[in-house]
Amino acid sequence: MTKKIIIYCLFCLTAYLVFYSLTAYSSSSETKAILESPYNSVRTHLLFLQNDNYNPKLSAKSLNTSQINRNDAEDLAIKLKRIFDGRGLFVILEEIPKEANYLDTVSQEHKFVIFPEIPSIYLQKYGNKWLYSLETVSHINELYKSTFPIDTFSFVDELPEFWKYSIFSVYVWQITGFILAAILSYILYLLLYWILGYFLEKLYLKFFKPNLYIKFIKPISKPISLLLVILIFDQVVAMLSIPIKLSHIIGLIINALEPILATIIVFRLSDFVINILSSIATKTKSNVDDHLVPFISKTMKIVIVIFGVLYFFSNVGIDITPLIAGVSIGGLAFALAAQDTVKNLFGSLTIFTDQPFQVGDWIVVDGAEGTVEEVGIRSTRIRTFYNSLISVPNGKLSDAKIDNM
């Protein structure tokens, strides 16, 4: 799976170099900063930092510099754009308001948050100008350090001119760094897989049987290793500050893989937990818990998959609020339409937890008499002394008087 991921990433890079010029904003002969709306201010900030239209002084006019040294404004404007690029935050200008008197629907202020995941970066109206707020300006250096733990730009300037050669807006040093990061990530994955497998095995074999390790624990060492490598690779790509469109694509891939791998890890661990519960159940005198374990197993896996899907949607930028609301409404409608089924389900839980009888017991309930043959999720089956089989809904059984002979 790792090889496929690396090959896919390299394919994206190659396709990017061959077919696309990833300059986010078209060249322009504009020489004036326009700040009359959120759209104009963001466009001014980014437009004048493009390679073919580079003018940091004009770009810095989009920042509120009333409480900072104006000589630092250009550096902060450049850092803010690098934060966007490093985090794969793609600015879609068409979605930014063009109204000069735009009001935020929540705060009812002249304020616009560009990315909900970073609420400290926003524009605010000052007089007749829209500028990056004072709070935004004060947080730029902090955000920059968290985005780039190692500031690659500090030594890139010292590289020979060959490494600064640009191919479709991507520098040679960035291409080389990306390829090296992919190769080193694969080597790190193999190393982590071996280390985790080795130590997990040593730790596990002290307490459990070897066959259980092979069946339940060893399968999680691979997705754990891959998840750790992906998180590290994400940080390395951010430090390379590759063009925003490619960074955005890689970010989406990584954001999609994280919940998938996390769900696989938890799903496989659930098998291990169920195995422990099963071994405990076999040591008890009661037979009811033997039927409870499969029920818990199915329920646990369904819950894990549901949360995994929600985590996936949330991580790739899909708003899950309408989905959760729809599921809630749909669940309510389903519950109303299937009240008896839901009642029987909770009845089965009551029987499992309260244990008024066990499989094999002779009981008398609601006119039925016989031996309990099976306790299911919906109903309990009783074998009468005439060798007939009676199925009693668990919802009814949980409310009935049971005479356990």
Side-chain angles (χ1 to χ4, degrees), residues 27-28 49 68 95 119 123 141 179 290 321 324 361 380 399:
S27 59
S28 172
L49 292 179
I68 64 169
E95 295 182 359
L123 291 102
N141 284 322
I179 295 173
D290 294 333
T321 304
I324 294 175
D361 284 0
T380 296
D399 293 333

Side-chain angles (χ1 to χ4, degrees), residues 7-28:
I7 291 172
Y8 182 76
C9 291
L10 291 175
F11 173 78
C12 290
L13 178 61
T14 304
Y16 158 82
L17 293 173
V18 175
F19 296 108
Y20 298 100
S21 173
L22 292 185
T23 303
Y25 305 92
S26 59
S27 59
S28 172

